[in-house]
Amino acid sequence: MKNKKKVTSNKIKQPKKIGSTQSLSSYVKSICDIMRRSNCASALQYVPELTWILFLRILDAQEQKEREEEAALGNSYIPALVSPFRWQDWAAPYSTDTNHPKTPEGQPHGWKRQELFAKGDKKLFDFINNELLPHLHGLDIDKITGQPNLNATRKQRIIGRIMTAVEKVRVDSETNLRDILDKVHQLHTDHVDDTHFFTLSQVYEDLLLKMGEKNSDGGQFFTPREVIRAMVLTMKPDAGKTIFDPCCGTGGFLAVVYEYLNQKLGTGISSTDIDVLKHNTFFGKEKENLVFPIALANLVLHGVDQPNLWHGNTLTNRTTYGALFDGAPSTFDYIFTNPPFGGKEGLDAQKRYPFETSSTQVLFMQDIIAQLSAGGSCAIVLDEGLLFRTSESAFVETKRKLVDECNIWAIISMPGGVFSTAGAGVKTNLLFFTKGNKTENIWYYDLSHVKVGKKTPMTLAHFGFGKNGEIIDDSKLPATLTSNWLEDEEVRDEPFPTYAKMLAHRATPNGESRYSWTVDFAARRAEAREKMQPHREKVAELRENIIPLKEEFKVLKKEQKNRKEIEALEERINTIEREIREKEAIISDIDAKVFDLKAINPNSVTKIDTRTTLEIIENIEEQSKIVENVIGKLKILL
């Protein structure tokens, strides 16, 4: 009876508003704590469980809002879910209070949950496992034929895809499940400050990374949201264009671009533009079975009603589920992506690309160049190795193709700790390029001096952007960005040259600063050709000289004349061929070095200790005296 009183209470305690990322994270952690003590011990178990529960909760709130909006316009509304399969029926807290929310049919929210509770233990489990989940699965696939449900709406298909992997409730206690449902019920925009509420992407970023720590090949990481926003603000994509991510993970890039375009279009957006934005703009591919449903859920809850996501391996082109990608274009106007670091691919993937390699990032770069429309632009996260590595032919040839077919117009050198929350200290760069013209000049910006980590992550302010994309005043810049600048008497009184300020002047004299510079790539190639020319001429000369020697060798060998003469001629030929190989290796090395695109800041200032050895020793002695003095005072106090 005690539990029953709790459920039928006339008053439901209103939660405090969740007003920060930290409090949101703590709140979600409290939900995970309940799951961990109820048969979901690891992140690999509780993240998928929390995914579908939270998705159905937010979906219900979203459909209620849409119903109200349509009613205000005098329009009818057809929901994706109906009674008793909506969150408001079976999962929401129940109350007999007259002010308690009602369903469209007039029932109090939580009526089905209360009905099941009154019938006894395990009835909630029975309903979810035997009625709710089969119904949700049937939205996408006909239970009898096993074929796609032709009557399903696009949103119902997406719901079906999200729920496909859920066979039954993993939580093993109804008491714990009700506690989870009560807590999840509070996770929507009524109770979460919209500055910090980013639906599933915000809630799951840390959880997915924890999941990856125990089940990762070392190559799958998730891009911090602030880095994505900086990339989007750099690209400034136009509405009405197609946006694509070939390895979309949880859909972070696509979600942020949607937010950007939605804000850019404003409240005066036409119904046609809304339709294009929500249905025909965003495309992505993801191979991980665990991540794909989260990406779908994330985008739907952001407002992208029809995310065109393809489930399968982009690099092998093997499809797991491709129905949602039907009608996708062959090339795309914008590509935003972060290919897995350090991944290795088999021959089935390698054989599909011109330059074969096991490196996942190199294959993705080839794939991106092919899938980018003429005049289209790409923003991509790359590890440092891909930029500077010239020891493998596939790396060099892929970069050659990139600079020959695309204009690389900006590279940002990122701090080593940006991906520390993903368990990776990998040094990364942000690369921006447009397909159509070859690269003549590359503008670089150096952020590698900034110290970031798990507790001090990268923010938009480190790029010099405000939360709405505006260029912020120097007084609002992080200390980790400006400390060295302010300590330098030569520049401390000058405006700090942030990335946001310099970007508008890239590849011009006004775009040069202590942290930004331009490389004349065309001149670099011309210089390399000049260096290679004498070696090429020598190779041509040697090849010409060796032809008659080889002919003479054939004749002597055929006639079996003087053995010593034959051996001497053979040695001479081998010497020339060896010299040709050496010259060709020099040519290849000079050529490959052209494609070392690593950001090496020529303007960086290095502090040099100019003290003599004696001065250093005297300083050490002085510091030792200070320490002894302090210790002496402490002893007196004790």
Side-chain angles (χ1 to χ4, degrees), residues 104-154:
E105 297 80 19
Q107 295 268 38
H109 280 196
W111 68 271
K112 182 66 177 179
R113 172 174 162 175
Q114 175 63 13
E115 179 183 284
L116 294 166
F117 180 79
K119 290 181 178 179
D121 196 32
K122 303 292 184 182
K123 295 303 179 182
L124 179 58
F125 279 163
D126 289 343
F127 169 75
I128 295 173
N129 293 332
N130 301 326
E131 296 183 52
L132 176 66
L133 292 179
H135 174 76
L136 298 178
H137 294 160
L139 292 175
D140 179 37
I141 302 295
D142 188 287
K143 290 179 285 187
I144 299 174
T145 65
Q147 298 299 311
N149 186 348
L150 298 178
N151 296 320
T153 64
R154 181 83 172 192

Side-chain angles (χ1 to χ4, degrees), residues 25-60:
S25 179
S26 297
Y27 191 86
V28 173
K29 183 179 180 296
S30 71
I31 299 173
C32 296
D33 288 341
I34 300 173
M35 289 186 162
R36 272 191 286 267
R37 64 173 184 256
S38 190
N39 198 38
C40 299
S42 72
L44 287 170
Q45 296 170 329
Y46 64 71
V47 170
E49 189 83 340
L50 187 53
T51 297
W52 70 265
I53 294 174
L54 181 55
F55 169 72
L56 292 179
R57 183 339 163 214
I58 305 299
L59 175 68
D60 188 66

Side-chain angles (χ1 to χ4, degrees), residues 250-271:
T250 58
F253 277 102
L254 301 178
V256 172
V257 178
Y258 171 78
E259 289 174 355
Y260 172 83
L261 291 175
N262 196 36
Q263 184 178 9
K264 185 177 180 180
L265 289 167
T267 55
I269 184 172
S270 69
S271 58

Side-chain angles (χ1 to χ4, degrees), residues 500-611:
K501 291 175 186 174
M502 295 291 104
L503 179 63
H505 306 288
R506 60 182 172 82
T508 71
N510 290 334
E512 305 295 297
S513 72
R514 180 172 291 187
Y515 303 106
S516 55
W517 68 100
T518 301
V519 170
D520 188 333
F521 193 76
R524 179 194 283 187
R525 297 187 85 168
E527 183 183 351
R529 284 194 295 269
E530 189 176 331
K531 287 182 179 178
M532 289 187 284
Q533 189 57 31
H535 299 288
R536 283 174 169 164
E537 290 174 356
K538 186 62 177 178
V539 168
E541 179 188 332
L542 292 170
R543 289 191 184 282
E544 189 175 339
N545 293 341
I546 205 172
I547 292 172
L549 296 178
K550 286 186 174 181
E551 291 297 326
E552 184 182 351
F553 179 77
K554 287 180 183 177
V555 172
L556 290 175
K557 199 162 186 183
K558 185 176 181 181
E559 295 177 356
Q560 295 184 341
K561 290 191 175 181
N562 191 310
R563 183 180 180 83
K564 287 187 178 181
E565 187 177 350
I566 292 173
E567 288 176 352
L569 184 58
E570 184 177 24
E571 178 58 31
R572 188 177 172 191
I573 291 170
N574 289 340
T575 300
I576 294 174
E577 287 181 334
R578 190 160 50 246
E579 187 176 358
I580 289 173
R581 289 194 297 271
E582 289 171 356
K583 290 292 181 184
E584 287 178 335
I586 292 171
I587 292 169
S588 178
D589 186 55
I590 293 171
D591 178 61
K593 285 180 179 177
V594 172
F595 302 98
D596 181 350
L597 304 179
K598 182 180 178 181
I600 301 176
N601 188 348
N603 306 322
S604 62
V605 176
T606 304
K607 290 184 179 180
I608 300 174
D609 192 339
T610 57
R611 294 176 299 175

Side-chain angles (χ1 to χ4, degrees), residues 51 60 138 189 195 284 317 334 370 379 381 426 446 471 537 550 568 597:
T51 297
D60 188 66
T189 50
T195 304
N317 203 35
Y334 294 100
V381 181
V426 180
D446 186 11
I471 295 176
E537 290 174 356
K550 286 186 174 181
L597 304 179

Side-chain angles (χ1 to χ4, degrees), residues 184-405:
V184 169
H185 187 74
Q186 310 306 330
L187 279 177
H188 66 100
T189 50
D190 287 351
H191 302 124
V192 182
D193 187 328
D194 61 7
T195 304
H196 304 283
F197 185 76
F198 304 130
T199 61
L200 291 181
S201 63
Q202 177 68 16
V203 173
Y204 280 102
E205 186 171 278
D206 291 342
L207 298 180
L208 285 167
L209 296 174
K210 288 177 183 177
M211 183 170 61
E213 287 170 5
K214 296 183 179 180
N215 189 42
S216 174
D217 60 3
Q220 183 167 317
F221 309 111
F222 296 86
T223 316
R225 186 180 179 85
E226 296 288 86
V227 173
I228 296 176
R229 292 187 69 194
M231 294 169 74
V232 173
L233 289 170
T234 298
M235 293 279 276
K236 296 181 179 177
D238 295 321
K241 304 290 186 177
T242 51
I243 315 293
F244 177 58
D245 185 346
C247 42
C248 67
T250 58
F253 277 102
L254 301 178
V256 172
V257 178
Y258 171 78
E259 289 174 355
Y260 172 83
L261 291 175
N262 196 36
Q263 184 178 9
K264 185 177 180 180
L265 289 167
T267 55
I269 184 172
S270 69
S271 58
T272 302
D273 288 339
I274 290 175
D275 188 67
V276 171
L277 184 64
K278 293 193 172 195
H279 303 160
N280 303 316
T281 296
F282 298 97
F283 301 83
K285 294 185 176 182
E286 175 55 41
K287 74 173 184 178
E288 294 294 336
N289 295 335
L290 192 61
V291 178
F292 180 75
I294 296 172
L296 279 173
N298 186 18
L299 292 172
V300 169
L301 298 177
H302 267 84
V304 183
D305 293 343
Q306 295 185 15
N308 303 284
L309 298 191
W310 183 86
H311 188 190
N313 188 326
T314 300
L315 299 179
T316 63
N317 203 35
R318 289 179 182 166
T319 310
T320 303
Y321 184 84
L324 298 176
F325 208 68
D326 288 345
S330 57
T331 59
F332 302 90
D333 300 312
Y334 294 100
I335 294 178
F336 291 87
T337 192
N338 178 7
F341 305 156
K344 300 295 180 182
E345 299 296 326
L347 291 176
D348 53 344
Q350 297 180 40
K351 294 295 182 184
R352 296 186 63 244
Y353 296 94
F355 313 118
E356 295 180 23
T357 175
S358 63
S359 170
T360 300
Q361 276 203 321
V362 175
L363 295 180
F364 263 114
M365 180 58 80
Q366 295 181 56
D367 191 83
I368 287 164
I369 295 171
Q371 298 207 62
L372 196 60
S373 301
S377 295
C378 173
I380 183 172
V381 181
L382 293 175
D383 71 55
E384 191 94 299
L386 193 150
L387 287 189
F388 72 74
R389 188 169 171 183
T390 57
S391 58
E392 186 179 332
S393 173
F395 281 72
V396 174
E397 294 309 315
T398 298
K399 287 185 282 187
R400 188 194 307 277
K401 182 178 179 66
L402 176 62
V403 298
D404 283 347
E405 298 182 12

